[in-house]
Amino acid sequence: MSSETSTAADPAAGREPEPAQGIGASLASAESRAKTEGTFPYAADLWAEGLLWAAVLRSPHAHARIVSIDTSHALDMPGVRAVITHEDVPGEALHGRRTPDRPVFASDVVRHHGEAIAAVAADHPDTARMAAAAVIVEYEVLEPVTDPEKAFEAEPLHPDGNLIRHIPLRHGDPAAAGELVVEGLYRIGRQDPAPIGAEAGLAVPRPDGGVELYIASTDPHADRDRAAACYGIPPERVKVVVTGVPGATADREDASFQLPLGLLALRTGCPVKVTATREESFLGHAHRHPTLLRYRHHADAEGRLVKVEAQILLDAGAYADTSSEALAAAVSFACGPYVVPNAFIEGWAVRTNNPPSGHVRGEGAMQVCAAYEAQMDKIAKKLGIDPAELRLRNAMATGDILPTGQTVTCPAPVAELLAAVRDSPLPDLPKDTPEDEWLLPGGPEGAGEPAAVRRGVGYGLGMVQLLGAEGTDEVSTATVKVHDGAATVICAAVETGQGFTTLARQIVQETLGIDDVRVAPVDTDQPPAGPSCRGRHTWVSGGAVERAAKMVRTQLLQPLAHKFGMSTELLQINDGKITSYDGVLSTTVTEALEGKELWATAQCRPHPTEPLDESGQGDAFVGMAFCAIRAVVDVDIEMGSVRVVELSVAQDVGRILNPAQLRTRIEAGVTQGVGVALTENLRTPRGIVRHPDLTGYALLTALDTPDIRIVKLVEERDVVAPFGAKAASAVPVVTSPAAIASAVRAATGRPVNRLPIRPQAAVAQ
């Protein structure tokens, strides 16, 4: 994989060299060495005296009525200390991230394959698994509802019904029509988060009757509150300590592993540990929403969009989870980063007996991006216009109006991004290299023939929201303490790989001129910082750290300013030195801090948003980020195999805070999108997860990753965001699948209306 940046297009070209520390430096993560050497402690590495092991019994059926549960055989096994079911939940039996509709243990009915029925604690992990298998459950198997279109007419699968949310968006004139009309039906498959390490955790009972949970949580305070409600105890008697998080998405935000763990610890009075197998991981956590999309685009003779009509159906699986938020994003961004004067979108999220769907990078936005970009390709083909030129004619800019009625007030350099990837040099054609050096689709030594290979070039433009939406109260709290010349940041923002702990160190270095900065481990004794998703900690928690650091800076400078009869604004800190504007004062930060202990706590809360109304209108988003990708692919039009040759990326990032970290995040997002486009599809015939392992679920390896060229990073600062920066990793995930599908269409002439792309869809007609 290449992370080459085009100096001709990159605004960083010609800038001053990177600083050694602070904002703008490529500061390495404090954990990077331990993680690369394999010595970093994750949840699976935890241990405690008197440890017991947990195992969970999961349903083999997608839909069934539970007639009876017999735990006696499991309890009689030597070494088994406890077996619990729904009857042993002392508090709230239902939980959920937004809607409490998911049982801790199924009681009367099973709604998806892998749903938890019972949990066991034993003195050995093998004993625990055998005991879980010894729990006898009598089922009355029911016909599963697995087609989301049939969920509207099916019998209710849940007391709340099958419809989770319906959003009818109405914008403009319904009678508007264009000279050209194109239609399409699109399907997006089910992507699994596939974490590097499967779920694990440790629960330790406390003397006060509470429990401590050592888990890879990404939202510890929400997990604490859910656990306390389940256990029937006050939140202050539950403490969540965040252990090493090996990357995070839906898998780390699912409480179905955590809640039984604490119940077993409370029941046995002993520490209890769980380490999920890969199969249990696939069955237990949420996945990306499979989506069905119907589109009709109207355009004039010049290719300018007149109206977009769409129907979007999200398969939420058995429970609601984050489906309401995913649907809001899908409906709001259904037209993409284009100017559309008239839009009429219907969006639904429904329950089925498929595995639960939840938060996975770019949820909602990724699915619609694949569809609206396919529509743009159809318009370009019908009009005989270059696909990039068509997109430029319709590109959104700052000041334009979203179909939700919200004005785009943040930087939106969509045309600039697209022009950058369009004008970037294309990779060499295979004919320019010896035939024996060709990298044929299908892999080295593959069966493909060079004569059957066609090259295609395609484009994708994507957009995502920043932070939460529709009235979400985004707030974070941080404390900065300085003692003995070193600084400590205390903030409950979980480091999930997005680089927050590195950013926090950079902020304090920049503001206070202190080299030695550490970030304290996260637990729920600290004030809440909210979930680690959508890059929100760069904005909200980074903003809180900056404000706290500035308050400490004022405490540090005030005595000096008073002594010399000037205001603190006339003093500056650079390279560890404090100087005045006139040169009268010059001292070091170390000298100024001698014998002092300073600290400050601050909050950051962005401006409020509002829910979408009954017509899908409202200022629902704080900010947005945009990305353009050009994909170059080689397709064997006889076999249908696809090789991504190169992906060129241009992205608006607001401000580059850590250059190396930013490029890594973009490359990782693009790579995840390649998996969505070509290989990743968790198959669930009749609701049963087929091949829940990493042999049956095809993840990309390093050898499968194409060349990724970051050709432009636009630094147009968002004035309402701390530092002016934007989150970076979600929007390339959203955009790259659409770009790859576009390139395959260009190579084959086929419509390519399904992701991942199946071989039969890439065979030329």
Side-chain angles (χ1 to χ4, degrees):
M1 172 170 52
S2 168
S3 60
E4 173 189 353
T5 301
S6 169
T7 55
D10 188 356
R15 293 191 337 186
E16 293 295 322
E18 287 182 17
Q21 64 177 25
I23 300 299
S26 290
L27 190 66
S29 166
E31 303 167 343
S32 57
R33 185 180 182 90
K35 287 182 176 179
T36 54
E37 292 178 346
T39 60
F40 185 79
Y42 292 105
D45 303 314
L46 299 177
W47 191 264
E49 190 69 29
L51 183 73
L52 299 177
W53 294 83
V56 177
L57 173 68
R58 299 184 178 277
S59 167
H61 307 292
H63 194 201
R65 186 169 291 109
I66 297 176
V67 179
S68 64
I69 303 175
D70 182 0
T71 62
S72 60
H73 297 283
L75 283 167
D76 290 342
M77 294 178 64
V80 173
R81 298 285 296 276
V83 181
I84 58 175
T85 67
H86 66 94
E87 296 178 345
D88 302 297
V89 178
E92 295 291 336
L94 301 176
H95 67 94
R97 290 189 63 206
R98 296 292 183 270
T99 304
D101 65 344
R102 186 173 184 175
V104 180
F105 296 111
S107 56
D108 55 346
V109 65
V110 167
R111 297 186 177 91
H112 72 91
H113 179 214
E115 185 159 14
I117 307 294
V120 175
D123 57 11
H124 191 277
D126 290 344
T127 304
R129 296 189 192 282
M130 287 189 293
V135 175
I136 299 174
V137 183
E138 183 182 350
Y139 298 99
E140 178 189 338
V141 179
L142 303 173
E143 184 67 21
V145 177
T146 58
D147 183 345
E149 290 189 283
K150 295 181 179 178
F152 293 98
E153 304 298 331
E155 289 294 319
L157 302 175
H158 190 276
D160 293 341
N162 294 345
L163 179 63
I164 295 171
R165 188 178 187 184
H166 171 221
I167 302 177
L169 186 150
R170 306 285 182 264
H171 177 75
D173 180 8
E179 298 171 63
L180 173 72
V181 178
V182 297
E183 299 184 357
L185 174 65
Y186 307 95
R187 295 182 185 273
I188 311 298
R190 179 178 286 102
Q191 187 187 29
D192 189 86
I196 297 172
E199 291 80 355
L202 174 68
V204 180
R206 296 175 14 155
D208 64 357
V211 66
E212 292 184 357
L213 297 172
Y214 294 81
I215 54 177
S217 171
T218 61
D219 191 357
H221 290 83
D223 285 342
R224 176 201 63 186
D225 294 345
R226 280 192 288 268
C230 169
Y231 306 155
I233 57 179
E236 57 268 21
R237 285 165 58 187
V238 177
K239 181 178 180 179
V240 172
V241 180
V242 178
T243 59
V245 181
T249 179
D251 53 289
R252 305 300 169 185
E253 299 170 359
D254 199 312
S256 63
F257 289 92
Q258 307 160 9
L259 298 180
L261 195 61
L263 288 171
L264 288 170
L266 292 170
R267 169 63 69 90
T268 62
C270 298
V272 180
K273 179 178 178 178
V274 66
T275 53
T277 65
R278 183 58 65 176
E279 178 178 351
E280 290 169 332
S281 180
F282 270 101
L283 297 181
H285 59 230
H287 316 277
R288 188 183 296 281
H289 291 80
T291 307
L292 177 66
L293 309 103
R294 291 183 175 89
Y295 267 80
R296 181 184 295 125
H297 275 55
H298 297 249
D300 65 18
E302 300 298 318
R304 290 182 174 82
L305 296 176
V306 175
K307 183 170 68 172
V308 172
E309 300 170 283
Q311 295 178 332
I312 303 166
L313 178 58
L314 269 58
D315 181 356
Y319 300 108
D321 203 80
T322 60
S323 296
S324 180
E325 293 91 329
L327 183 66
V331 169
S332 299
F333 302 145
C335 301
Y338 301 111
V339 177
V340 179
N342 308 286
F344 297 86
I345 318 294
E346 295 280 350
W348 302 270
V350 296
R351 292 183 176 90
T352 65
N353 290 122
N354 290 318
S357 302
H359 170 63
V360 184
R361 270 186 193 159
E363 70 271 20
M366 188 284 288
Q367 291 92 323
V368 295
C369 182
Y372 65 66
E373 288 297 77
Q375 291 287 101
M376 297 300 282
D377 282 344
K378 287 185 177 181
I379 295 173
K381 185 176 181 179
K382 276 202 169 186
L383 292 176
I385 300 174
D386 177 75
E389 174 59 29
L390 175 74
R391 288 165 167 83
L392 284 171
R393 293 180 187 181
N394 291 281
M396 177 184 290
T398 303
D400 285 329
I401 307 296
L402 290 175
T404 60
Q406 180 172 345
T407 300
V408 179
T409 56
C410 67
V414 180
E416 182 180 355
L417 298 175
L418 179 56
V421 297
R422 180 198 60 184
D423 298 339
S424 177
L426 287 163
D428 291 337
L429 289 168
K431 67 180 179 61
D432 297 324
T433 59
E435 187 173 302
D436 58 359
E437 295 181 13
W438 275 33
L439 293 175
L440 293 174
E445 308 298 330
E449 291 291 337
V453 176
R454 300 290 183 271
R455 174 156 290 187
V457 178
Y459 297 90
L461 288 178
M463 62 189 298
V464 297
Q465 70 193 67
L466 304 176
L467 309 182
E470 294 193 276
T472 301
D473 184 19
E474 294 284 7
V475 62
S476 182
T477 304
T479 298
V480 174
K481 293 184 177 181
V482 178
H483 180 64
D484 289 338
T488 300
V489 177
I490 301 171
C491 182
V494 178
E495 173 60 68
T496 63
Q498 84 279 33
F500 171 75
T501 56
T502 307
L503 174 61
R505 290 163 54 212
Q506 291 178 269
I507 293 169
V508 176
Q509 289 172 347
E510 177 94 357
T511 308
L512 298 177
I514 297 174
D515 292 340
D516 187 2
V517 182
R518 66 180 290 270
V519 179
V522 174
D523 61 49
T524 49
D525 287 344
Q526 302 164 7
S532 298
C533 60
R534 303 183 187 91
R536 60 180 298 280
H537 284 316
T538 298
W539 184 322
V540 185
S541 296
V545 172
E546 181 191 37
R547 292 181 184 184
K550 285 182 175 179
M551 293 165 69
V552 172
R553 183 181 187 276
T554 300
Q555 295 173 24
L556 174 65
L557 297 181
Q558 271 180 339
L560 294 172
H562 179 73
K563 179 179 179 180
F564 286 87
M566 61 180 69
S567 69
T568 57
E569 286 75 17
L570 298 178
L571 302 179
Q572 60 183 0
I573 300 177
N574 283 314
D575 298 325
K577 295 181 180 180
I578 302 173
T579 56
S580 62
Y581 75 102
D582 55 6
V584 172
L585 170 64
S586 180
T587 186
T588 66
V589 172
T590 302
E591 291 172 345
L593 282 171
E594 188 172 358
K596 294 180 180 179
E597 182 173 343
L598 308 175
W599 69 275
T601 299
Q603 281 190 337
C604 178
R605 176 180 270 117
H607 66 80
T609 57
E610 61 188 24
L612 298 175
D613 64 18
E614 64 277 2
S615 298
Q617 302 296 293
D619 290 346
F621 307 107
V622 176
M624 284 152 274
F626 304 88
C627 178
I629 294 180
R630 184 192 67 195
V632 179
V633 304
D634 283 346
V635 183
D636 187 319
I637 60 172
E638 293 178 351
M639 300 177 62
S641 52
V642 178
R643 183 176 80 89
V644 181
V645 177
E646 179 185 273
L647 293 164
S648 299
V649 186
Q651 189 166 322
D652 85 302
V653 295
R655 181 185 178 188
I656 300 174
L657 306 179
N658 185 315
Q661 189 168 269
L662 174 65
R663 284 169 171 77
T664 300
R665 296 293 288 171
I666 293 173
E667 289 175 354
V670 171
T671 303
Q672 185 177 0
V674 177
V676 174
L678 297 181
T679 65
E680 296 187 47
N681 186 26
L682 190 66
R683 291 169 292 172
T684 57
R686 294 186 57 78
I688 303 299
V689 178
R690 180 183 292 176
H691 305 306
D693 52 53
L694 294 181
T695 57
Y697 185 79
L699 283 175
L700 295 183
T701 69
L703 296 177
D704 302 311
T705 305
D707 283 342
I708 299 171
R709 297 180 63 248
I710 300 174
V711 300
K712 188 160 192 175
L713 299 174
V714 176
E715 288 191 83
E716 186 177 347
R717 300 185 185 184
D718 190 338
V719 296
V720 301
F723 332 109
K726 293 186 177 185
S729 60
V731 68
V733 180
V734 166
T735 312
S736 53
I740 293 168
S742 176
V744 174
R745 278 190 286 271
T748 64
R750 298 293 302 277
V752 187
N753 56 8
R754 182 188 293 259
L755 295 181
I757 301 169
R758 299 181 296 179
Q760 55 266 43
V763 175
Q765 291 178 326

